[in-house]
């Protein structure tokens, strides 16, 4: 074995060690996020949710405040009440206090969870870079490499939103759980030894097309999480509005999430923001196909499902912008669209034979 081959083998081993190490740190972050929710449930939210559920709604979007005047008299003035509009325009509900429940102890565990997530992200990113160095190409030549890169980008997108001071820490537990599942499947079922690509795929378009596909998938995932939680939170708010009494678990968890309106807007904005990039991904793939296989479109299963995913998200964005399809109907379309992306990610690559299929995964 020559020196270059030995170096590449060592880098591949280092990549595996870093990926497993990131899984260990993500596991610690997972338990820290659970602690954030547990200690946050002992907050004011958990103790007073029932009382809030039975409280009458304000007759208008104002609150009255008494102020002292000279001579000991008081006067009543009105000031605007800051509210968050629901998607359907029928409820005025403020955002919840977050996973920490507004408590110091819960917030402390939440900060620990985020710190551990940052460390795990850096370790995982190091594993992806080491894998790329071991094969001296973009680390997206098989499902294993695509999976570890996808979860890295998903966590990176979440951390960027946190750095921009966006209210997304409620997503942390679900994100870390999903990343652990993704890495678990990648390291046990999808693992493939590092190897070179066939000449037709060894192109600069690998960097362009696949990198944008990974970014789109990561952001679509964040949007899907927001959409799913929107459906739960919307049902919760609707039950309260109709005089219902949710269970203790629903009150403890759902009361701390952002309002249904905020979750709906978050999902719509991230999906709308990344949709043009997904369009570019399909165009870049067609250009790469023309360069590699001599045709821009050949009805390959991956090409077909990429287009189906594009159509599904286009329908969602159109529905979301149409007055009669806001709220839950549009949310169902968003989840169907993400389901198309998931099938394109796993199903087509593993179970369907085509030019994009990964032999032996």
């Amino acid at each position: 074995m020559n020196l270059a081959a030995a170096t590449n083998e060592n880098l591949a081993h280092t990549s595996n060690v870093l990926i497993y190490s990131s899984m260990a740190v993500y596991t610690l972050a997972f338990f820290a996020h659970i602690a954030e929710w547990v200690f946050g449930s002992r907050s004011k939210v958990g103790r007073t949710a029932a009382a809030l559920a039975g409280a009458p709604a304000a007759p208008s979007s104002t609150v009255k405040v008494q102020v002292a005047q000279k001579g000991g008299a008081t006067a009543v003035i009105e000031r605007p009440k800051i509210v968050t509009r629901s998607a359907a325009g029928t409820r005025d509900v403020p955002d919840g206090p977050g996973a920490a429940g507004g408590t110091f102890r819960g917030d402390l565990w939440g900060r620990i969870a985020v710190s551990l997530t940052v460390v795990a992200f850096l370790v995982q990113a190091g594993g992806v870079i080491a894998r790329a160095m071991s094969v001296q190409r973009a680390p997206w030549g098989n499902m294993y490499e695509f999976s570890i890169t996808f979860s890295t980008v998903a966590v990176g997108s979440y951390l960027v939103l946190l750095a921009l001071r966006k209210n997304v820490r409620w997503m942390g537990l679900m994100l870390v759980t999903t990343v652990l599942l993704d890495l678990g499947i990648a390291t046990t079922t999808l693992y493939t030894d590092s190897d070179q690509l066939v000449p037709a795929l060894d192109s600069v378009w690998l960097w362009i097309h696949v990198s944008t596909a990974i970014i789109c998938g990561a952001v679509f995932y964040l949007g899907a999480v927001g959409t799913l939680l929107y459906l739960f939170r919307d049902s919760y708010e609707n039950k309260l509005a109709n005089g219902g009494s949710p269970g203790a678990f629903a009150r403890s968890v759902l009361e701390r999430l952002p309002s249904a309106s905020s979750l709906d807007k978050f999902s719509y904005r991230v999906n709308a923001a990344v949709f043009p990039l997904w369009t570019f991904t399909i165009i870049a793939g067609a250009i790469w196909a023309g360069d590699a296989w001599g045709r821009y479109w050949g009805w390959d299963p991956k090409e077909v499902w990429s287009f189906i995913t594009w159509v599904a998200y286009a329908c969602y964005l159109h529905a979301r912008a149409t007055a009669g399809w806001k709220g839950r109907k549009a949310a169902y379309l968003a989840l169907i669209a993400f389901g198309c992306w998931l099938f394109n990610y796993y199903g087509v690559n593993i179970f369907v034979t085509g030019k994009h299929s990964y032999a032996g995964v």
Side-chain angles (χ1 to χ4, degrees), residues 140-153:
W140 311 314
N142 51 60
M143 279 293 290
Y144 169 74
E145 295 174 354
F146 192 98
S147 294
I148 62 175
T149 307
F150 166 76
S151 54
T152 303
V153 175

Side-chain angles (χ1 to χ4, degrees), residues 92-333:
D92 293 333
V93 181
D95 289 346
T103 65
F104 172 79
R105 195 172 184 185
D107 183 67
L108 176 61
W109 279 106
R111 292 178 184 276
I112 292 173
V114 171
S115 299
L116 289 170
T117 303
V118 172
V119 174
F121 165 76
L122 295 175
V123 175
Q124 185 181 6
V128 173
I129 293 172
R131 178 79 175 197
M133 294 174 63
S134 71
V135 292
Q136 299 180 4
R137 58 166 172 78
W140 311 314
N142 51 60
M143 279 293 290
Y144 169 74
E145 295 174 354
F146 192 98
S147 294
I148 62 175
T149 307
F150 166 76
S151 54
T152 303
V153 175
V155 176
S157 302
Y158 165 74
L159 294 177
V160 167
L161 292 176
L162 284 179
L164 294 175
R165 299 186 181 279
K166 302 298 182 181
N167 178 24
V168 294
R169 207 166 83 184
W170 45 268
M171 190 186 295
L173 178 59
M174 185 173 291
L175 174 69
V176 170
T177 303
T178 306
V179 169
L180 282 171
L181 289 174
D182 177 72
L183 292 178
I185 294 173
T187 54
T188 57
T189 304
L190 303 178
Y191 181 78
T192 305
D193 291 331
S194 58
D195 200 357
Q196 296 302 316
L197 295 173
V198 296
L201 301 181
D202 190 8
S203 168
V204 67
W205 287 104
L206 176 67
W207 292 90
I208 300 173
H209 171 66
V210 183
S211 64
T212 55
I214 292 173
I215 293 171
C216 289
V219 178
F220 281 149
Y221 163 77
L222 298 183
V225 172
T227 300
L228 184 63
L229 293 179
Y230 157 75
L231 292 173
F232 284 108
R233 173 76 189 204
D234 183 67
S235 296
Y236 174 78
E237 291 180 8
N238 187 56
K239 191 170 187 177
L240 291 180
N242 292 328
S245 180
F249 178 79
R251 290 198 305 268
S252 177
V253 174
L254 297 177
E255 186 71 25
R256 284 182 276 168
L257 292 175
S259 67
S261 169
S262 295
L263 291 169
D264 181 60
K265 290 176 182 177
F266 168 80
S267 302
Y268 172 67
R269 287 170 179 171
V270 297
N271 286 328
V274 80
F275 181 73
L277 187 62
W278 182 247
T279 305
F280 170 78
T281 300
I282 296 176
I283 296 173
I287 296 174
W288 188 15
D291 183 57
W293 300 319
R295 88 293 188 279
Y296 295 102
W297 189 267
W299 297 103
D300 182 77
K302 174 69 74 170
E303 297 169 350
V304 172
W305 275 97
S306 294
F307 180 68
I308 290 174
T309 303
W310 185 91
V311 171
Y313 272 106
C315 290
Y316 160 71
L317 294 175
H318 176 72
R320 182 60 178 74
T322 304
W325 277 79
K326 287 185 178 180
R328 298 184 70 86
K329 292 181 179 179
Y332 293 139
L333 281 178

